[in-house]
Amino acid sequence: MEVIILPSSKEIGALAADAIEALVRRKPNAVLGLATGSSPLPIYDELARRHDEEGLSFTQAHGFALDEYVGLPPGHPESYREVIRREFTNRVDIAPENVHGPDGAAADVLAACDAYEQAIKDAGGVDLQILGVGTDGHIGFNEPGSSLASRTRIKTLLEQTRADNARFFDSIDDVPHHVVTQGLGTIMDARHVVLVATGEGKAAAVRDLVEGPVAAICAASVLQFHPHATILVDEAAASALRLADYYRRTYATKPAWQGL
Ligand code: F6R
C-alpha cells in the first residue's frame, strides 16, 4: 500500500489522472472502475480537461460503476448511473454502451448482481478502480461488517452513510436505505486501486484503513491485502496517520521510474 499525502484535491485529481492517462495510453481498451460521490470529482474534471485540451481519448475504454441506489426511479439525477454520466462519461468520448452500472431497479436483484460480476469478467476485469471512502470506512457501499470476500450484492446503508449522503437529496428521508454494490472481493480483483480521500471528516477512516487491523468493521482495511493499492490523501485526511512523516519522505524520495 502506497500512501501519498498531497496539498489539495487538485493535486490528488491530477496524480490520479496521470495514472489513468498512462493506463489508457498503454492500453486503449482499459477497464476503469468508476466511483461516485464528491471525492473523485477532481479526477473526472482533470480527465475531461485532458480530453478537451490534450486529446486524451477513451473511445475504446470501458467503465464499470461501483454501486447504485435501490429504489430510485430510472433517470433520477442522484442515481449513480446519472451521476457517472453527468460527471464523467458525457464529458469524454467513451462509448455509452461501454459504460455499465449495477442495476438497482432489477426485478431479480440477485440475478442482476451475478450478471454484473459476469460483465466485469467478460470485459477482462477492472484495470484501475477509483475509490472514495465513507466516514465509516466503507468502499463501494460495503458497510462495516461486510464480508471481506463479498461479491456484488444488495446492502443496507448505515444511518451515518444516509446522513452523509443527504446533501445530495432534498432531505435525508429521500436517501434510499438499500444499494447494490460491488463486493470487497470484486474490488480486490481490480489490478490497481486508487483511493482518494480529503478533509478531516475522513481522517479516522483513513487511519483505520491504512494502519488499523484488517477487520470488517473498517471494510476498506481489506485493501492492505491488495498488491497494488494507492492511497491519495490531503493533509487533513492524513492528520491521524501515525506514519505520516514516513509516507511524506518515501514519496519525496521515490524514484521517478516507479510511477504510481
Ligand atoms: C460511491 C462510493 C462510496 C463513496 C464514499 C465517499 O460510488 O462507492 O464509497 O466513495 O461514500 O463519498 P464522498 O466522496 O462523497 O465522501
Side-chain angles (χ1 to χ4, degrees):
M1 181 176 273
E2 178 177 27
V3 181
I4 302 177
I5 304 171
L6 293 163
S8 76
S9 58
K10 196 168 163 46
E11 286 85 357
I12 291 174
L15 194 58
D18 286 348
I20 294 165
E21 174 166 1
L23 168 67
V24 170
R25 290 199 188 277
R26 185 176 75 242
K27 183 179 178 188
N29 63 346
V31 179
L32 304 174
L34 304 171
T36 45
S38 309
S39 307
L41 297 181
I43 307 175
Y44 298 143
D45 288 345
E46 179 60 13
L47 291 173
R49 189 196 67 73
R50 293 182 193 194
H51 169 68
D52 291 342
E53 297 175 14
E54 297 168 11
L56 178 61
S57 177
F58 296 86
T59 46
Q60 296 175 55
H62 296 255
F64 283 88
L66 263 180
D67 39 19
E68 182 56 278
Y69 290 113
V70 171
L72 293 183
H76 188 289
E78 292 310 325
S79 74
Y80 281 173
R81 190 172 287 253
E82 284 304 310
V83 173
I84 290 282
R85 206 174 284 169
R86 189 167 66 235
E87 302 293 352
F88 181 51
T89 58
N90 272 3
R91 301 166 70 195
V92 298
D93 57 356
I94 190 166
E97 63 273 20
N98 286 356
V99 182
H100 311 270
D103 186 354
D108 186 342
V109 175
L110 290 182
C113 290
D114 288 348
Y116 198 59
E117 288 279 332
Q118 193 57 48
I120 295 172
K121 274 198 196 89
D122 291 346
V126 172
D127 290 298
L128 187 151
Q129 176 65 58
I130 301 168
L131 294 174
V133 63
T135 56
D136 63 3
H138 68 230
I139 49 175
F141 273 135
N142 293 281
E143 294 286 38
S146 289
S147 158
L148 302 184
S150 48
R151 311 303 303 188
T152 301
R153 70 218 183 288
I154 193 164
K155 287 292 289 182
T156 305
L157 294 179
L158 248 72
E159 282 307 291
Q160 182 176 328
T161 301
R162 293 185 67 243
D164 285 346
N165 287 6
R167 68 189 191 282
F168 297 114
F169 293 83
D170 291 337
S171 132
I172 189 170
D173 299 330
D174 297 336
V175 184
H177 289 270
H178 294 107
V179 291
V180 175
T181 180
Q182 286 189 32
L184 294 171
T186 320
I187 293 169
M188 288 293 284
D189 285 346
R191 296 181 185 91
H192 183 192
V193 298
V194 177
L195 183 147
V196 294
T198 54
E200 210 182 333
K202 297 290 173 70
V206 168
R207 177 201 59 210
D208 291 348
L209 93 89
V210 173
E211 296 178 341
V214 175
I217 194 68
C218 175
S221 65
V222 73
L223 297 178
Q224 291 177 34
F225 281 125
H226 197 286
H228 192 184
T230 306
I231 314 295
L232 305 179
V233 287
D234 67 1
E235 290 289 345
S239 58
L241 290 171
R242 283 175 53 193
L243 297 182
D245 285 342
Y246 173 62
Y247 307 135
R248 281 192 198 92
R249 189 162 50 82
T250 301
Y251 186 59
T253 58
K254 182 176 175 175
W257 55 262
Q258 273 190 318
L260 264 199

